Amino acid sequence: MSDRLLRVNAYTTLDFVDARARGHDFEADAPGIVNVTAPREDPDRVDLQVELDETAIDDLPAHADEVELSPAQARTLAEALESAADRVEAAQGDADDE
């Protein structure tokens, strides 16, 4: 990612993910990063940040998406991620048993 907008360092949550950008007239796979953070001083929110490698997507200019979450929203998202991860792991375990 040559023109990265989000900083990636040792504290980045996920510094490499398989990602997809989808629009009305296009769909493209690209590597990306996902980061979860909160302001250092007087934190009042949780920030979820996603950026895809713009060099892999011709139809989309370089950009990063950010979502501001309240603590309750962040916990709801975390619970949904845990539940989905459990379902995928269970399905993969069933596939391993066959």
Short mmCIF file of all heavy atoms in Angstrom, two decimals, residues 7-16 33-38 40 47 49:
data_model
loop_
_atom_site.label_atom_id
_atom_site.label_comp_id
_atom_site.label_asym_id
_atom_site.label_seq_id
_atom_site.Cartn_x
_atom_site.Cartn_y
_atom_site.Cartn_z
N ARG A 7 -2.03 4.93 9.58
CA ARG A 7 -0.71 4.48 10.00
C ARG A 7 -0.77 3.03 10.41
O ARG A 7 -1.70 2.59 11.09
CB ARG A 7 -0.23 5.32 11.18
CG ARG A 7 0.16 6.71 10.77
CD ARG A 7 0.72 7.53 11.90
NE ARG A 7 1.19 6.73 13.02
CZ ARG A 7 1.41 7.21 14.22
NH1 ARG A 7 1.19 8.47 14.47
NH2 ARG A 7 1.84 6.45 15.20
N VAL A 8 0.21 2.26 9.99
CA VAL A 8 0.32 0.86 10.37
C VAL A 8 1.60 0.71 11.16
O VAL A 8 2.67 1.10 10.71
CB VAL A 8 0.33 -0.06 9.13
CG1 VAL A 8 0.56 -1.50 9.54
CG2 VAL A 8 -0.98 0.08 8.37
N ASN A 9 1.44 0.16 12.38
CA ASN A 9 2.62 -0.04 13.22
C ASN A 9 2.40 -1.30 14.06
O ASN A 9 1.48 -2.08 13.79
CB ASN A 9 2.88 1.20 14.09
CG ASN A 9 1.69 1.56 14.95
OD1 ASN A 9 0.99 0.70 15.47
ND2 ASN A 9 1.45 2.85 15.11
N ALA A 10 3.21 -1.50 15.07
CA ALA A 10 3.12 -2.70 15.90
C ALA A 10 1.80 -2.79 16.65
O ALA A 10 1.43 -3.86 17.11
CB ALA A 10 4.29 -2.73 16.88
N TYR A 11 1.08 -1.69 16.77
CA TYR A 11 -0.18 -1.68 17.52
C TYR A 11 -1.41 -1.80 16.63
O TYR A 11 -2.53 -1.85 17.13
CB TYR A 11 -0.27 -0.41 18.37
CG TYR A 11 0.89 -0.26 19.31
CD1 TYR A 11 1.90 0.66 19.05
CD2 TYR A 11 1.00 -1.06 20.43
CE1 TYR A 11 2.98 0.78 19.90
CE2 TYR A 11 2.09 -0.95 21.28
CZ TYR A 11 3.07 -0.02 21.01
OH TYR A 11 4.14 0.09 21.86
N THR A 12 -1.23 -1.84 15.32
CA THR A 12 -2.37 -1.98 14.40
C THR A 12 -3.05 -3.32 14.67
O THR A 12 -2.40 -4.35 14.78
CB THR A 12 -1.89 -1.89 12.94
OG1 THR A 12 -1.23 -0.64 12.76
CG2 THR A 12 -3.05 -2.00 11.97
N THR A 13 -4.37 -3.30 14.76
CA THR A 13 -5.13 -4.50 15.12
C THR A 13 -4.90 -5.63 14.13
O THR A 13 -4.50 -6.73 14.50
CB THR A 13 -6.63 -4.16 15.22
OG1 THR A 13 -6.78 -3.03 16.10
CG2 THR A 13 -7.41 -5.34 15.75
N LEU A 14 -5.17 -5.40 12.85
CA LEU A 14 -4.95 -6.39 11.80
C LEU A 14 -4.25 -5.67 10.65
O LEU A 14 -4.87 -4.88 9.93
CB LEU A 14 -6.27 -7.00 11.32
CG LEU A 14 -7.09 -7.76 12.35
CD1 LEU A 14 -8.46 -8.12 11.79
CD2 LEU A 14 -6.36 -8.99 12.82
N ASP A 15 -2.97 -5.95 10.47
CA ASP A 15 -2.22 -5.21 9.45
C ASP A 15 -2.27 -5.86 8.08
O ASP A 15 -1.71 -5.33 7.13
CB ASP A 15 -0.78 -4.97 9.87
CG ASP A 15 -0.03 -6.25 10.16
OD1 ASP A 15 -0.61 -7.33 10.06
OD2 ASP A 15 1.16 -6.15 10.51
N PHE A 16 -2.97 -6.98 7.94
CA PHE A 16 -3.18 -7.58 6.63
C PHE A 16 -4.43 -8.44 6.67
O PHE A 16 -4.50 -9.39 7.45
CB PHE A 16 -1.98 -8.43 6.19
CG PHE A 16 -2.17 -9.03 4.83
CD1 PHE A 16 -1.94 -8.27 3.69
CD2 PHE A 16 -2.61 -10.33 4.68
CE1 PHE A 16 -2.14 -8.81 2.43
CE2 PHE A 16 -2.81 -10.88 3.42
CZ PHE A 16 -2.57 -10.12 2.30
N ILE A 33 -6.16 -3.28 5.72
CA ILE A 33 -5.87 -3.25 7.16
C ILE A 33 -7.15 -2.90 7.90
O ILE A 33 -8.04 -2.24 7.36
CB ILE A 33 -4.76 -2.23 7.51
CG1 ILE A 33 -5.17 -0.81 7.11
CG2 ILE A 33 -3.44 -2.61 6.88
CD1 ILE A 33 -4.24 0.25 7.62
N VAL A 34 -7.24 -3.37 9.15
CA VAL A 34 -8.36 -3.05 10.03
C VAL A 34 -7.75 -2.65 11.36
O VAL A 34 -6.87 -3.34 11.89
CB VAL A 34 -9.31 -4.26 10.23
CG1 VAL A 34 -10.42 -3.91 11.20
CG2 VAL A 34 -9.88 -4.72 8.90
N ASN A 35 -8.21 -1.54 11.90
CA ASN A 35 -7.67 -1.07 13.16
C ASN A 35 -8.80 -0.64 14.08
O ASN A 35 -9.80 -0.08 13.64
CB ASN A 35 -6.70 0.10 12.93
CG ASN A 35 -5.87 0.38 14.16
OD1 ASN A 35 -5.41 -0.54 14.82
ND2 ASN A 35 -5.66 1.64 14.47
N VAL A 36 -8.62 -0.91 15.36
CA VAL A 36 -9.55 -0.47 16.39
C VAL A 36 -8.75 0.36 17.37
O VAL A 36 -7.69 -0.06 17.84
CB VAL A 36 -10.20 -1.66 17.13
CG1 VAL A 36 -11.11 -1.17 18.25
CG2 VAL A 36 -10.97 -2.53 16.15
N THR A 37 -9.25 1.56 17.67
CA THR A 37 -8.53 2.45 18.56
C THR A 37 -9.51 3.35 19.29
O THR A 37 -10.70 3.36 19.00
CB THR A 37 -7.49 3.27 17.77
OG1 THR A 37 -6.67 4.00 18.68
CG2 THR A 37 -8.14 4.22 16.80
N ALA A 38 -8.99 4.11 20.22
CA ALA A 38 -9.75 5.13 20.93
C ALA A 38 -8.79 6.29 21.19
O ALA A 38 -7.57 6.08 21.26
CB ALA A 38 -10.31 4.59 22.24
N ARG A 40 -6.34 8.78 22.87
CA ARG A 40 -5.47 8.56 24.03
C ARG A 40 -5.92 9.34 25.26
O ARG A 40 -5.92 8.82 26.36
CB ARG A 40 -4.02 8.96 23.70
CG ARG A 40 -3.34 8.01 22.76
CD ARG A 40 -1.90 8.46 22.57
NE ARG A 40 -1.23 7.64 21.59
CZ ARG A 40 -0.44 6.62 21.89
NH1 ARG A 40 -0.23 6.31 23.15
NH2 ARG A 40 0.12 5.91 20.94
N ASP A 47 -12.97 3.87 17.69
CA ASP A 47 -12.89 4.07 16.24
C ASP A 47 -12.54 2.75 15.56
O ASP A 47 -11.57 2.09 15.94
CB ASP A 47 -11.81 5.10 15.89
CG ASP A 47 -12.16 6.50 16.37
OD1 ASP A 47 -13.35 6.85 16.34
OD2 ASP A 47 -11.24 7.23 16.78
N GLN A 49 -11.44 1.41 11.92
CA GLN A 49 -10.89 1.96 10.69
C GLN A 49 -10.57 0.82 9.72
O GLN A 49 -10.03 -0.21 10.13
CB GLN A 49 -9.61 2.74 10.97
CG GLN A 49 -9.80 3.83 12.00
CD GLN A 49 -8.49 4.35 12.53
OE1 GLN A 49 -7.55 3.59 12.76
NE2 GLN A 49 -8.41 5.65 12.75
#
